Amino acid sequence: MCGLFGLLRSPRADHPGRASDAFVALGTLAEERGSDSAGVAFLTGHPAATGGPPRRPEGHRDERRSDLAHDGCRVVKGRGRFTSIWRPDLLDDLDRSPVVLGHTRWATQGSPFELDNASPLVIEAAAAGTSGNAAPAGIVATHNGDIEAGLLRARYALPDATGTTDSEPLFQLLAGCPSPSEVADALGTIVGRAALAWVRRDRPHRVHLARAALSPLAVAADTDHNLYWASNPRWFRDVQRHTSVRFATVVMLREGTYLRVGATSRHPAVLSGGTFVPTARAWDLDDRVWTGFTPKTPNATAPPCATA
């Protein structure tokens, strides 16, 4: 189990600091869904270069932490909780970034002690793709769930992985899908639990969101028209209590939903999407999937979210 959270800014929002406060609050709340590692990817808004070999990332990395500048994005991650990797000096990048991806990890497949297994993961151009249709600049991606990665490797000619998670081969598959229909087809081959958020580095103002079997994923818009996503809709209510952000709508995505959202000249909007049939295994009905969700009681008040 893991926690996903993120932000797609409205180009017309007057106060970027408000959305930044909400993002950091979401990261703190996401600790309940994972404390093995945490990470943040700041998309600069500048498309990564296409063609030729991938550029080597620059920055610092050791066994516990990394802060690396890739072409078009900066990824900061490390072992432990989100609050252990977040630093005040990151706020400038957060305020400037049109898209930010966040992740907290509760390891299912792959060692929790290997930094290569911590997300967000950057799938470079040389590693992206399945049959020559790769996104030239690769993707930056996050995943909550547990899937049958071996089935994907048996079905598709995926490159060797850097880490040992089930997420990386799934990201390699998605990186090779240039159209929404191909993405939906690929998502339909997943067996297991999955919620996903990723960005193509050559189109950094567009975010791809998908919910396959079971793993929860909610989307929200605030009154400044910024768009957010999170693994638990309750987190948005908590953000309202502790920040000045006010949400106009919160929606829990249905299983089998894929959305491509992007910032138009006015505010983020759904650009395209699709549906697919998710496949779960018998043992996927695990209470840990709903970590952080309030158990139903006879007098409980329904959360202020819809299903779409």
Side-chain angles (χ1 to χ4, degrees):
M1 276 21 85
C2 299
L4 304 186
F5 58 102
L7 166 64
L8 171 62
R9 292 185 184 276
S10 168
R12 294 195 174 186
D14 293 327
H15 303 285
R18 287 205 292 247
S20 295
D21 290 345
F23 177 85
V24 175
L26 287 171
T28 303
L29 292 163
E31 290 184 345
E32 69 182 11
R33 293 190 61 88
S35 58
D36 289 324
S37 65
V40 177
F42 306 94
L43 279 298
T44 65
H46 301 292
T50 60
R55 299 181 184 177
R56 293 181 63 87
E58 299 178 353
H60 170 76
R61 174 181 171 133
D62 57 34
E63 292 184 354
R64 296 190 61 87
R65 300 282 187 272
S66 67
D67 184 347
L68 298 175
H70 302 259
D71 189 11
C73 70
R74 177 186 182 185
V75 179
V76 179
K77 58 186 177 180
R79 289 165 52 185
R81 296 178 175 273
F82 171 80
T83 47
S84 71
I85 68 102
W86 182 256
R87 311 188 309 265
D89 64 279
L90 298 174
L91 277 174
D92 285 345
D93 271 1
L94 177 56
D95 288 345
R96 287 193 298 262
S97 298
V99 176
V100 195
L101 303 175
H103 186 268
T104 59
R105 185 174 186 234
W106 181 349
T108 52
Q109 299 185 44
S111 169
F113 305 111
E114 296 294 332
L115 203 56
D116 285 336
N117 294 333
S119 286
L121 291 181
V122 178
I123 305 299
E124 296 287 358
T130 59
S131 59
N133 292 324
I139 66 173
V140 186
T142 57
H143 167 222
N144 165 35
D146 179 273
I147 67 161
E148 296 289 341
L151 294 180
L152 295 181
R153 293 205 173 280
R155 181 167 182 166
Y156 300 99
L158 300 175
D160 292 337
T162 301
T164 55
T165 66
D166 54 325
S167 303
E168 189 171 357
L170 175 55
F171 298 156
Q172 291 170 335
L173 171 62
L174 293 173
C177 298
S179 70
S181 62
E182 289 174 284
V183 170
D185 288 345
L187 293 170
T189 67
I190 297 172
V191 176
R193 305 184 305 271
L196 301 149
W198 74 98
V199 177
R200 282 181 53 167
R201 291 170 57 205
D202 58 349
R203 296 181 180 178
H205 290 89
R206 298 178 180 179
V207 179
H208 301 256
L209 302 170
R211 184 185 178 199
L214 293 171
S215 294
L217 186 62
V219 179
D222 68 18
T223 53
D224 288 329
H225 302 291
N226 299 299
L227 187 140
Y228 308 78
W229 58 95
S231 293
N232 191 332
R234 173 181 59 78
W235 297 348
F236 296 119
R237 299 200 301 272
D238 291 342
V239 167
Q240 285 199 146
R241 293 190 189 103
H242 300 292
T243 73
S244 61
V245 170
R246 295 296 174 262
F247 293 102
T249 184
V250 179
V251 177
M252 177 74 90
L253 298 184
R254 291 183 184 271
E255 294 169 294
T257 298
Y258 161 59
L259 298 177
R260 185 171 62 99
V261 295
T264 66
S265 60
R266 297 183 61 189
H267 51 72
V270 176
L271 304 176
S272 64
T275 60
F276 58 97
V277 178
T279 302
R281 306 156 297 191
W283 59 88
D284 284 325
L285 295 172
D286 186 327
D287 288 344
R288 292 177 298 173
V289 172
W290 304 107
T291 296
F293 282 71
T294 303
K296 289 184 179 180
T297 64
N299 297 321
T301 301
C305 65
T307 301

